Amino acid sequence: MSKKSFRQAINEALRQEMLRDPRVVLIGEDIAGGQGGTSGVVDAWGGVLGVTKGLYTEFGPDRVFDTPISEASYIGAAVGAAATGLRPVAELMFVDFVGCCLDQIMNQAAKFRYMFGGKARTPLVIRAMYGAGFNAAAQHSQALYPLFTHIPGLKVVIPSSPYEAKGLLIEAIRDDDPVIFLENKVMYDDEEEVPDEPYAIPFGEANLTREGDDVTIVAFGRMVNFANEAADRLEKDGISCTVVDPRTTSPLDSATILECVEDTGRLVIVDESSPRCNMATDVAALVAEDAFDALKAPIRRVGPPHTPVPFATVLEKLYLPDAARIESAVRSVMAYKKTKQEA
Amino acid sequence: MQIAHDILLRSYRSMRTIRDFEERLHVEFATGDIPGFVHLYCGEEASGVGVCAHLTDTDTIASTHRGHGHCIAKGVGVDGMMAEIYGRKTGVCHGKGGSMHIADLSLGMLGANGIVGGGPPLICGAALSHKVLKDGGVAVAFYGDGASNEGTTLESLNLAMVWKLPAVFVCEDNGYGEATGAAYACAGTQKARAAGFGMPYLECDGTDFFAVYEAAGQAIAHARAGNGPVMLHVHLARWYGHFEGDAMTYRANGEVAEQRARHDCLKNFRQSVTETSLLEPTALDDIDASVKDEIEAAVKAAKNAPLPEPADLEADVYVSY
Ligand SMILES: Cc1ncc(C[n+]2csc(CCOP(=O)(O)OP(=O)(O)O)c2C)c(N)n1
Ligand SMILES: [Mg+2]
């Protein structure tokens, strides 16, 4: 056990799985870097933000493949390789670039198993960065997990900390279905204690980062940290919250979410993706349908406005949910009084 | 080749403006004042300027993530650009786009682009508009050696031929896509790629304004005359990292220094026009001085400009909703 960054935790998961299984290969743009350069230095970048650094040096050119800037072909190649014996981990860099290769994910990888009558296995992981807060503007900041969650056949993972990232990535690599693994780019330097040995965190099992009596906060990815921050502050005023990190949006641990809402009777959902047809609407529908009687107040969603991500810092701060907005949403559901006579 | 006096002066001014704009951004970025990603065009000035010297506001260009040079060459003002890069309300995109999304459609500048290979299909569309609307315009896609490997680019070459569009595809080949060399990433040659689609191909030294000017003139005239698209392959080098903060360990020691010493488009332009007495050194000195002031003023204004306001966040998602 030692302190590791989100970046190191991901690198360690990749390395340990590559050591364990020779079929695990890495594919992506500049995941090594320096190929065809004039200095002869390879592994010059190790990924655009240094996440795969050292893996080319350790595993060599038969395990780590730098690609041309051709997402449709290399993501598609990862899909094809997965269907035929390799276990690729492909890096899409920014998840926004899925626009260039969605067919291979949506119509190919996601469909094989079902369309081929249960005969195919496509053990593929696609890693990509998501999220606002980097001044990266509209084409490099989206949180597109609802898009993938919408597609049957894909699994979708959003780790909320270095510990979660390592365990969930190992699980993703060992899983036999196509998995979209989304890393919040603002979190790469976040640190916490992470075990040195390999461990896997199962999909579809939510993690309760804290348990309380008054309000359930369901939050995704980086928003889990903000939810915890808000819950800390609220605790001082005697409002106690349960914070649910679903870890995976597909499969979704509906049972745990429903249980928590049964216990607290109030629900706030924090989702940094665009607010129409996102995870917050999905979870709200689930609870409205299956835990209606438990609700003491309307469900509240905390998220960005229905706009692209703006560039300027002032606007991006307004765009992204934060602990203060979560806190006020929790206070508003606590203050809610039913006005109509109960039937 | 004969180039009019005013075009020479204007082109020198454009190249100097790009150089100073980018050098200044390099300095300002290091102070931590500039948010986001910044990709500098230093060293490549002659390409954007040599091409755009043949264009008017009726013509359209699409640029890349390394877009400042194309914007300046197409006539976008440095005040609005600098303010945009600083995320100010007075920026050309009101602070909503930043360095990678500077655009001014009124000048035929269809935008820098955060998506590699995003421009060539758009340019097919712009060329289609010019053709259908019969406005005499030409559409030009700037794209890198890296972008030449995107399916969107290759499909656009084909589409432009099939539709015989008034389009020019300017492949700005600086030998790298991020940290990966074109020697690794580009199979075959750009020339053979053009030939594969039956597209006329020209190439030139992109650090030599006169070479670019001449080749681009031919390509654009061909497209404008209704003869279909042309690929113009421009060889050049970037002087800074892929983006600010890149240590460039993948490049040989001295590679950039050699470029700066021997392939500086500004130095070579000055030498050429003064040796042949086309322009007086003092005329160039005057431009240098005035550009220096202009950039200084743009930075000062940007730093003091108002920030976007909360109401701006939800404005302009749609025309109407
Ligand atoms: C679709 C897509 N893939 C990857 C990237 C990340 N990226 C940004 S610039 C770049 C390199 C582009 O190389 P090139 O086209 O040669 O242009 P240069 O940077 O050399 O000007 C890459 C890979 C992106 N922005 N968009
Ligand atoms: Mg390049």
Side-chain angles (χ1 to χ4, degrees):
Chain A
M1 197 90 153
S2 62
K3 261 204 185 310
K4 286 168 196 143
S5 68
F6 197 72
R7 176 187 284 106
Q8 287 167 325
I10 292 165
N11 184 286
E12 191 167 278
L14 292 169
R15 178 172 179 272
Q16 289 176 345
E17 287 306 289
M18 290 178 80
L19 286 170
R20 190 185 62 79
D21 185 344
R23 296 169 302 171
V24 176
V25 298
L26 307 187
I27 298 175
E29 291 167 18
D30 288 300
I31 55 172
Q35 317 249 28
T38 44
S39 69
V41 172
V42 285
D43 213 347
W45 271 16
V48 71
L49 294 184
V51 176
T52 47
K53 185 83 184 163
L55 298 174
Y56 180 88
T57 304
E58 180 169 354
F59 294 98
D62 293 334
R63 302 289 298 283
V64 179
F65 299 91
D66 267 332
T67 71
I69 309 173
S70 312
E71 290 81 10
S73 71
Y74 83 77
I75 292 291
V79 174
T84 53
L86 292 177
R87 304 184 75 86
V89 181
E91 184 186 302
L92 185 54
M93 204 183 299
F94 293 83
V95 73
D96 313 69
F97 305 162
V98 74
C100 302
C101 56
L102 189 57
D103 175 71
Q104 294 292 327
I105 299 170
M106 176 173 76
N107 290 324
Q108 313 300 334
K111 306 285 195 276
F112 286 172
R113 179 84 184 161
Y114 187 82
M115 211 164 57
F116 299 160
K119 290 192 207 109
R121 269 168 211 271
T122 312
L124 162 72
V125 181
I126 297 176
R127 293 181 42 240
M129 291 186 267
Y130 82 95
F134 218 68
N135 293 106
Q139 295 175 340
H140 287 73
S141 301
Q142 297 170 88
L144 296 174
Y145 42 85
L147 190 93
F148 300 110
T149 308
H150 183 72
I151 299 170
L154 299 180
K155 293 177 179 172
V156 185
V157 187
I158 320 173
S160 61
S161 76
Y163 173 86
E164 295 286 316
K166 180 172 173 184
L168 288 166
L169 182 52
I170 287 178
E171 178 76 7
I173 295 170
R174 294 178 187 175
D175 194 282
D176 278 342
D177 289 308
V179 178
I180 311 294
F181 189 88
L182 296 172
E183 302 163 14
N184 192 303
K185 61 178 85 69
V186 183
M187 288 172 53
Y188 280 123
D189 294 319
D190 288 5
E191 287 191 344
E192 72 178 346
E193 294 291 330
V194 176
D196 297 331
E197 64 279 5
Y199 59 96
I201 298 175
F203 290 170
E205 287 186 19
N207 180 37
L208 305 188
T209 64
R210 62 207 296 143
E211 293 183 55
D213 302 322
D214 300 318
V215 180
T216 297
I217 308 176
V218 176
F220 296 88
R222 182 176 177 223
M223 295 299 124
V224 173
N225 297 337
F226 293 169
N228 285 326
E229 225 179 281
D232 280 342
R233 290 194 222 160
L234 290 156
E235 188 81 60
K236 293 187 186 116
D237 290 345
I239 301 172
S240 87
C241 299
T242 293
V243 175
V244 183
D245 171 6
R247 288 174 165 153
T248 55
T249 60
S250 185
L252 181 70
D253 185 355
S254 319
T256 298
I257 293 170
L258 290 169
E259 270 166 39
C260 293
V261 175
E262 296 282 352
D263 287 348
T264 59
R266 298 180 188 88
L267 175 63
V268 169
I269 313 161
V270 194
D271 183 351
E272 83 159 277
S273 68
S274 293
R276 301 296 312 279
C277 299
N278 69 353
M279 286 315 300
T281 61
D282 194 56
V283 170
L286 167 81
V287 169
E289 195 162 69
D290 292 344
F292 184 75
D293 288 337
L295 288 173
K296 298 175 193 157
I299 298 163
R300 283 286 306 270
R301 294 175 290 147
V302 180
H306 186 56
T307 75
V309 180
F311 166 69
T313 308
V314 277
L315 295 182
E316 199 181 27
K317 278 214 173 98
L318 279 178
Y319 174 89
L320 204 60
D322 59 14
R325 284 177 55 198
I326 299 168
E327 193 184 329
S328 78
V330 169
R331 288 190 195 280
S332 83
V333 297
M334 285 301 289
Y336 180 82
K337 295 252 171 0
K338 280 197 175 162
T339 48
K340 278 188 198 153
Q341 206 67 35
E342 268 169 75
Chain B
M1 146 191 252
Q2 213 52 356
I3 306 180
H5 198 247
D6 62 321
I7 292 179
L8 287 177
L9 285 172
R10 211 172 347 114
S11 299
Y12 181 78
R13 186 178 182 98
S14 263
M15 292 196 293
R16 171 59 69 196
T17 306
I18 297 169
R19 175 70 53 83
D20 284 14
F21 190 91
E22 300 291 63
E23 298 274 17
R24 183 61 182 265
L25 277 183
H26 178 70
V27 172
E28 296 293 335
F29 191 88
T31 69
D33 266 2
I34 295 177
F37 292 105
V38 173
H39 307 80
L40 300 180
Y41 194 65
C42 268
E44 309 188 4
E45 297 88 346
S47 173
V49 173
V51 171
C52 291
H54 298 281
L55 304 178
T56 72
D57 291 356
T58 306
D59 300 312
T60 313
I61 67 166
S63 173
T64 69
H65 55 286
R66 199 175 302 290
H68 306 161
H70 304 136
C71 292
I72 291 171
K74 197 69 172 58
V76 183
V78 293
D79 286 345
M81 287 178 61
M82 195 64 87
E84 186 59 36
I85 292 167
Y86 273 86
R88 304 293 161 150
K89 191 172 170 77
T90 52
V92 270
C93 306
H94 305 311
K96 284 180 162 168
S99 163
M100 261 193 295
H101 305 295
I102 295 175
D104 189 340
L105 280 86
S106 68
L107 299 172
M109 203 294 155
L110 203 45
N113 210 313
I115 302 298
V116 170
L122 299 175
I123 273 319
C124 288
L128 186 66
S129 288
H130 291 309
K131 186 171 172 157
V132 171
L133 300 174
K134 297 191 171 58
D135 61 10
V138 166
V140 177
F142 290 98
Y143 64 104
D145 49 290
S148 78
N149 298 321
E150 285 284 9
T152 50
T153 303
L154 294 160
E155 290 182 27
S156 297
L157 298 178
N158 186 54
L159 183 65
M161 283 303 291
V162 169
W163 283 352
K164 210 175 178 195
L165 293 172
V168 175
F169 295 90
V170 180
C171 179
E172 294 190 313
D173 186 347
N174 59 14
Y176 293 94
E178 290 186 348
T180 295
Y184 170 82
C186 294
T189 62
Q190 302 299 339
K191 184 177 185 178
R193 292 181 185 193
F197 296 106
M199 186 181 289
Y201 170 91
L202 293 166
E203 65 187 318
C204 63
D205 174 357
T207 67
D208 175 354
F209 169 80
F210 300 98
V212 177
Y213 184 84
E214 179 161 358
Q218 283 178 39
I220 291 165
H222 179 96
R224 211 186 284 288
N227 299 317
V230 179
M231 182 189 290
L232 174 58
H233 183 190
V234 180
H235 301 274
L236 31 70
R238 66 165 150 82
W239 287 5
Y240 287 104
H242 168 65
F243 42 37
E244 287 305 272
D246 169 17
M248 290 199 282
T249 53
Y250 48 88
R251 296 179 80 170
N253 274 338
E255 184 174 307
V256 172
E258 156 80 9
Q259 286 294 332
R260 282 182 186 265
R262 294 170 36 100
H263 301 285
D264 179 339
C265 60
L266 281 156
K267 260 195 236 162
N268 295 346
F269 181 100
R270 177 183 278 265
Q271 193 179 345
S272 160
V273 294
T274 51
E275 271 174 7
T276 52
S277 302
L278 283 168
L279 295 178
E280 289 299 317
T282 51
L284 301 176
D285 294 342
D286 289 349
I287 290 174
D288 290 352
S290 120
V291 167
K292 192 163 178 259
D293 292 345
E294 195 187 1
I295 299 298
E296 185 61 44
V299 171
K300 208 165 159 208
K303 286 183 175 174
N304 292 318
L307 296 170
E309 290 151 51
D312 295 329
L313 178 60
E314 296 192 50
D316 292 331
V317 181
Y318 302 93
V319 175
S320 66
Y321 195 58

